[in-house]
Amino acid sequence: MLNNIKEDLKLFNEIVDNFLEDEKTTPISKSIKIKDLYNKIDLSLSDEPSIQTEFKQTLKKLVLSTPKSSSKMFFNQLFGGRHSKAVLGDLLAVMLNNSMATYKISGPQAAVEKEILSKVCELIKYPKSAGGTFPTGGSMSNFMSLIIARDQKSKDIINKGFKQKFVAYSSEESHYSVAKNASFSGLGKNNVRYIKCNSFGQLDTISLENQIREDITNDCIPFYINATAGTTVLCAFDNIDEISRICKKYSIWLHVDGAFGGSVIFTDKYKDLVKGVEKSDSFCFNAHKTLGVPLSTSILVVRESKMISDSFKNNASYLYQTHDIDYNLGYNSFECGRRNNALKFWTMWKSIGTKGICNIINHEFDLADYARSYTIINKDYTLYSFEKSLSICFNYKNYDPIDLCTKLYEKNKIMVGFGYFRKQCFIRLVTINGENSKSEILEFFKTLEVFCQQYDQDLKKISN
Ligand SMILES: *Cc1c(COP(=O)(O)O)cnc(C)c1O
């Protein structure tokens, strides 16, 4: 039978069993050259249905050939690992297939989302009137915050478009979504001021204030500052306290982009990194980075819940037919049909408690300390990043980091990326997989060292 859920769930279990075994013995899937891809796996679609056995074989092959983003040797993105309770929740969300737009279609799932949002608001000490939503990711969280800030500055823009020259501020190390969002919102990419960073990769607040003064003199209207809690490369935390002082002085919206590092709000040991976050107007973090919740789980909270619906609600008689704005979450979202991205975070949080989440984050900082010490003690390494960060940026001997990362991938050893700070290129190891232990971090370095020794002749060197 072609459409049989029970049969297919059996097949699912079978494939996943294979996959989990394979992940242990082969943490890095064999990389496939794009030119060989269509020969290796039959990806073609045709008029006739597949033969069942071939379909199964192809599917298994496809799964086992896909890069393994949850394995112990995966450090290429800011997400990694998987918490089983979060996976459980997400699989159930697929089965339930609700939309989060209205209470009528989501029922208690709406309250699941609301419970997380109110807990997060409580953790960062936002007022009772605060609220939030689950955008499709950090980029979308940043976009929504920009729109809300725009509409809070001027009630007319939502209907008439920009009439005056509005300007937004972000650091040169901030996420690239800020530029895209400026374009989508009608603000324009040229109206984002990229403020330079200090030597730790944090937004330089003196330059920020100077730029704001200059813009005001030139009849521009400063309305939005994007501060970053955990920059994408160095995992640097901007000084929110100081930036919030400037925001107050010039009546500018303060958004804290914590997509990477914002989950420090769960731990007393590190939450000082976002000191002053309670004074921000909006804040977001990605539970799919650092917490092992599947992609994508982004949480945006705003100081006043009403401000979100002010910007995002629209009448739709075919959609909103029962209940009110409090539980019809579509009034707060960009999408119409919206996937349930809350349940997976809720199942995890419910099962391990806030303490469990705190332990995950603390553990990842411990792993970072361990990796950093390793590169400090071992004279063959040069370290470029700083303490209290989940990002360990380094170079090994005089190996070219770009070439080394690429060959480690091509030879199926490690997936890790490179980054830049102030034109310096380096390898970026991120300790964002809470399932890893120190022995896996050590294995990372040992694998890299053995690899360099083995392929020394083939590897590019940098001249100092
Ligand atoms: C990853 C990241 C984003 C984007 O989040 P997505 O969910 O990938 O859209 C935004 N800001 C920072 C600082 C990030 O690290």
Side-chain angles (χ1 to χ4, degrees), residues 78 137-139 142 175 177 228 230-232 257 259-260 286 288-289:
L78 297 181
S139 303
N142 289 344
H175 192 256
S177 58
T228 311
T231 55
T232 310
D257 173 7
F260 182 11
N286 280 356
H288 68 251
K289 290 177 174 169

Side-chain angles (χ1 to χ4, degrees), residues 1 11-12 48 75 82 103 113-114 116 133 159 180 217 254 261 267 278 288 292 296 320 336 403 439 446 453-454:
M1 266 199 292
L11 178 59
F12 174 82
E48 298 305 318
F75 303 97
R82 65 169 84 76
Y103 185 75
E113 179 164 315
K114 283 169 72 74
I116 294 174
T133 182
N159 290 317
K180 293 202 294 183
T217 313
L254 172 56
T267 161
E278 70 282 356
H288 68 251
S296 60
Y320 303 116
C336 172
D403 186 55
S439 66
K446 292 298 170 201
Q453 202 170 24
Q454 191 180 350

Side-chain angles (χ1 to χ4, degrees), residues 133-231:
T133 182
F134 277 64
T136 47
S139 303
M140 180 57 90
S141 288
N142 289 344
F143 175 73
M144 290 183 73
S145 74
L146 184 75
I147 297 296
I148 297 165
R150 180 198 73 181
D151 296 341
Q152 290 302 315
K153 193 72 178 178
S154 161
K155 300 282 172 222
D156 277 350
I157 297 173
I158 199 165
N159 290 317
K160 298 181 180 162
F162 284 104
K163 289 273 190 298
Q164 293 152 297
K165 190 160 163 142
F166 275 48
V167 284
Y169 304 81
S170 200
S171 90
E172 57 188 0
E173 288 294 308
S174 64
H175 192 256
Y176 73 90
S177 58
V178 176
K180 293 202 294 183
N181 294 338
S183 124
F184 305 156
S185 63
L187 175 69
K189 287 189 180 185
N190 293 348
N191 294 318
V192 180
R193 307 281 187 253
Y194 292 100
I195 307 301
K196 72 171 197 219
C197 285
N198 63 21
S199 59
F200 296 100
Q202 302 165 301
L203 183 143
D204 181 76
T205 49
I206 294 172
S207 306
L208 172 68
E209 194 162 0
N210 288 342
Q211 183 66 54
I212 292 171
R213 286 216 193 93
E214 187 186 321
D215 286 326
I216 293 174
T217 313
N218 293 325
D219 291 330
C220 296
I221 302 181
F223 78 106
Y224 177 85
I225 296 179
N226 176 89
T228 311
T231 55

Side-chain angles (χ1 to χ4, degrees), residues 70 151 179 244 257 295 318 332 362 403 437:
S70 299
D151 296 341
S244 79
D257 173 7
L295 276 167
Y318 51 81
N332 277 349
N362 287 345
D403 186 55
S437 61

Side-chain angles (χ1 to χ4, degrees), residues 406-431:
T406 308
K407 295 209 164 99
L408 281 166
Y409 157 69
E410 286 170 351
K411 304 269 186 210
N412 319 309
K413 297 292 183 194
I414 302 174
M415 283 186 75
V416 65
F418 53 86
Y420 294 87
F421 179 61
R422 297 190 161 172
K423 302 215 167 79
Q424 174 68 55
C425 187
F426 40 61
I427 298 177
R428 181 192 65 162
L429 166 67
V430 280
T431 54

